[in-house]
Amino acid sequence: PAAPAPAPAPAPAPAPLAGRGDRLDIFYTSKSWTPETPRNVFTPESILEMRHLEDRVRSHPGFNESCYQTRGGGGECAPFQSTADWFFDPGSGELTWDIGGTVLAMLEAGLVTRTDKYLSVRNLGSNYTRTTVYLREGVGSAFFEDLHRDLLWPADQNGEYGHVSFSWTANAEVARLEANEALIHDAGWAVGTVVVVGVLVFLKVRDPLVFLAAMSGLILAFPASYYWYYVHFQITELKVIQASALFVMLGIGADDVFLMVDAYDHAAVHLGPEATPAERMDHAYRRAGGTMLVTTVTAAVCFYSNAFSVVLIVREFGLFMGTVVLLNYAHVVTILPSAMLVSDIHLKPLWRRMKRRFCPGCYADGCCAGKGLEEEAGGEEVVKDIDSVGSIADSRADVARMSQTYRCVSISESLSSYPESSAEEDRVEQVIADPQAREVPIGGPDYASDKEDGDGVDAEAEVLPGYVVPTRGSTSSSGSSDDFSDNNDARGHANQRGQ
């Protein structure tokens, strides 16, 4: 007899389904909702946008491989725990227009945990609602990180939905990723702030080395403060709010830079042109250092007072900001003055020597650059004695023009042998750059010791080679002493003839 047919093999047992893993919660509110003006989120427009966003989550790459599956689901992803699904017909997928009846059915089903506490039979509305998405246990959170970076964050930042606002929470990795995105966003604005402050600082100092030192001191205050924050205060995590220290630091630091530069520049006026860079810096320290110290201490005390707060993040912010303010002051009174002295003692004289060597005619700003001496002199030979200018001038304007030309020539010719020291170079540079400096002559404040009755200037005062400083009563080559007699007083007469 034939052998009996083998019994059919038993069907394989279904593979056990994994448990629930990480979860993502999406919160929805009406676009016009505020704490003062509550708005119902269950409107047709808002519900359609909620459904559209959740469909995009379902269709995102990698969702089917990571989603949570219920037992008996046939390998399909479990539905979201969402209130939006209640408002659509299961067969046609069309939105139901009985919004109130659907909300009442949700209330009877006990979905009060996905709405606010005010939902009731008398108030069929809610200020917010929540959707929960689960992943399978053991798949990790890589899908949520991709979802945050590729869908949720761009949709939120670009305002892609006009009737509903949404936010989301997930595991620690997604929260850290969201914090990093916010930090990068704020850092972009901080870069723009640094550029604007840098431009203003450069327009003020007009010196590349001083500018680099000033900006370096401002920026270095941030990482230096983080060292103290991390090593000495034992706070190992830098939160997003600490990023605002960059904006505060730029504002306070720029003020200190302006104070120090102004005090150094004004020292030449208070101490006179004979003052050395070291004397000017000493004066600047006395004038600006105390002011900056007072403002720095008061600001630091205000920030450090937050260390007594019971709120942890406020306490950490106060410690960090107080340290930033103190270190910024330390940089302004060390790095910046060093660069200013190096520039004045070494770089500026070097630059002037290079200009004299490679472009002698360009050294005197605005008087000789690009113009021939014969053109400035109106075709006449430039006269080396200032009194002879009046003999070839037809008007007061010609006298001023010829005096300017003579000043250029005399200075350019004398630069090869004069001055011998950097202090004298600074005096020459002052004369060239500012004709009004004749009010405080080259010889120092005592040079202007002429008497009120107009007896002229001190004949013993030091002058630049080639300059002739006439006294009252001196005559020009034409033999007339009345060429400049229109001046109201003898001091103005001497100053104009000296120029």
Side-chain angles (χ1 to χ4, degrees):
L17 298 176
R20 288 177 177 176
D22 293 330
R23 59 183 282 180
L24 171 72
D25 289 304
I26 304 177
F27 298 86
Y28 301 99
T29 59
S30 174
K31 202 78 169 180
S32 58
W33 177 89
T34 64
E36 294 77 19
T37 57
R39 292 289 185 272
N40 182 21
V41 71
F42 295 128
T43 62
E45 296 81 8
S46 298
I47 294 171
L48 287 172
E49 291 184 353
M50 287 189 286
R51 182 64 177 268
H52 181 266
L53 178 61
E54 293 172 10
D55 288 341
R56 293 176 65 183
V57 174
R58 292 187 183 95
S59 60
H60 194 73
F63 177 73
N64 292 330
E65 292 78 16
S66 305
C67 66
Y68 169 68
Q69 298 174 351
T70 59
R71 186 176 298 276
E76 296 180 357
C77 295
F80 294 172
Q81 296 182 8
S82 171
T83 58
D85 294 336
W86 284 71
F87 295 91
F88 291 87
D89 184 87
S92 64
E94 297 293 332
L95 175 67
T96 178
W97 294 101
D98 187 8
I99 303 296
T102 304
V103 174
L104 184 59
M106 290 167 47
L107 184 62
E108 294 174 350
L111 293 181
V112 292
T113 58
R114 303 198 172 275
T115 61
D116 63 21
K117 64 181 181 180
Y118 303 107
L119 180 66
S120 65
V121 294
R122 295 185 178 183
N123 177 37
L124 298 178
S126 176
N127 289 298
Y128 84 95
T129 185
R130 174 170 58 94
T131 295
T132 302
V133 181
Y134 284 99
L135 296 185
R136 289 201 304 271
E137 186 179 9
V139 299
S141 60
F143 171 76
F144 281 159
E145 295 178 13
D146 293 340
L147 186 70
H148 166 85
R149 182 177 55 253
D150 300 334
L151 174 59
L152 298 178
W153 180 265
D156 179 46
Q157 293 297 308
N158 299 332
E160 297 181 7
Y161 297 98
H163 297 90
V164 66
S165 298
F166 65 93
S167 59
W168 60 95
T169 61
N171 53 14
E173 287 78 7
V174 175
R176 188 176 296 107
L177 183 62
E178 184 175 4
N180 291 337
E181 293 284 352
L183 185 61
I184 293 174
H185 175 270
D186 293 344
W189 286 101
V191 170
T193 304
V194 171
V195 171
V196 173
V197 173
V199 170
L200 295 177
V201 170
F202 184 79
L203 292 177
K204 174 64 179 177
V205 301
R206 296 182 179 274
D207 188 304
L209 179 63
V210 177
F211 166 74
L212 291 176
M215 296 306 297
S216 298
L218 297 180
I219 297 174
L220 285 176
F222 190 85
S225 300
Y226 182 69
Y227 163 78
W228 285 85
Y229 189 72
Y230 186 90
V231 175
H232 298 283
F233 297 148
Q234 297 295 314
I235 303 175
T236 59
E237 186 176 3
L238 188 65
K239 298 179 175 60
V240 177
I241 191 173
Q242 269 77 5
S244 61
L246 187 61
F247 299 93
V248 179
M249 175 199 64
L250 289 173
I252 297 176
D255 289 342
D256 291 345
V257 169
F258 293 153
L259 281 174
M260 178 60 73
V261 173
D262 274 341
Y264 184 76
D265 291 341
H266 292 169
V269 178
H270 290 282
L271 303 179
E274 297 289 345
T276 64
E279 293 171 342
R280 293 171 60 188
M281 185 56 66
D282 179 73
H283 178 84
Y285 262 109
R286 297 176 185 276
R287 294 293 298 271
T291 302
M292 291 190 298
L293 180 62
V294 171
T295 57
T296 298
V297 170
T298 55
V301 168
C302 291
F303 283 120
Y304 278 135
S305 64
N306 292 321
F308 300 99
S309 174
V310 296
V311 181
L312 177 62
I313 191 171
V314 174
R315 183 163 64 248
E316 294 177 352
F317 175 76
L319 291 174
F320 187 77
M321 282 304 308
T323 309
V324 167
V325 172
L326 292 179
L327 289 178
N328 173 75
Y329 172 77
H331 293 164
V332 171
V333 298
T334 55
I335 299 176
L336 179 62
S338 302
M340 294 167 65
L341 290 176
V342 169
S343 178
D344 267 9
I345 297 174
H346 299 287
L347 298 185
K348 288 183 178 179
L350 176 63
W351 173 243
R352 286 194 292 265
R353 287 193 293 269
M354 292 177 61
K355 288 174 67 176
R356 290 199 302 269
R357 179 174 181 179
F358 296 104
C359 186
C362 301
Y363 183 75
D365 296 337
C367 61
C368 300
K371 294 184 179 181
L373 299 179
E374 293 81 9
E375 177 183 351
E376 286 293 318
E380 299 289 343
E381 181 181 359
V382 179
V383 185
K384 298 303 176 71
D385 186 349
I386 189 65
D387 286 333
S388 62
V389 174
S391 62
I392 60 174
D394 297 328
S395 64
R396 191 181 302 273
D398 290 334
V399 172
R401 177 169 54 82
M402 292 297 298
S403 298
Q404 182 80 349
T405 302
Y406 167 72
R407 180 172 64 90
C408 266
V409 175
S410 59
I411 291 176
S412 298
E413 290 180 347
S414 63
L415 285 177
S416 59
S417 58
Y418 179 91
E420 298 295 336
S421 65
S422 60
E424 292 172 336
E425 281 191 357
D426 291 337
R427 292 155 55 196
V428 174
E429 186 73 7
Q430 182 185 9
V431 172
I432 295 173
D434 185 9
Q436 299 300 325
R438 304 304 184 280
E439 297 294 337
V440 181
I442 302 303
D446 295 337
Y447 185 90
S449 60
D450 51 328
K451 299 178 181 180
E452 294 182 359
D453 58 357
D455 289 338
V457 299
D458 186 2
E460 299 298 328
E462 181 183 359
V463 297
L464 290 176
Y467 273 85
V468 176
V469 182
T471 57
R472 186 174 184 179
S474 63
T475 60
S476 65
S477 60
S478 61
S480 174
S481 62
D482 297 330
D483 292 335
F484 304 95
S485 60
D486 292 339
N487 293 301
N488 292 328
D489 58 85
R491 183 172 183 173
H493 166 80
N495 283 335
Q496 181 178 1
R497 295 292 299 276
Q499 293 176 13

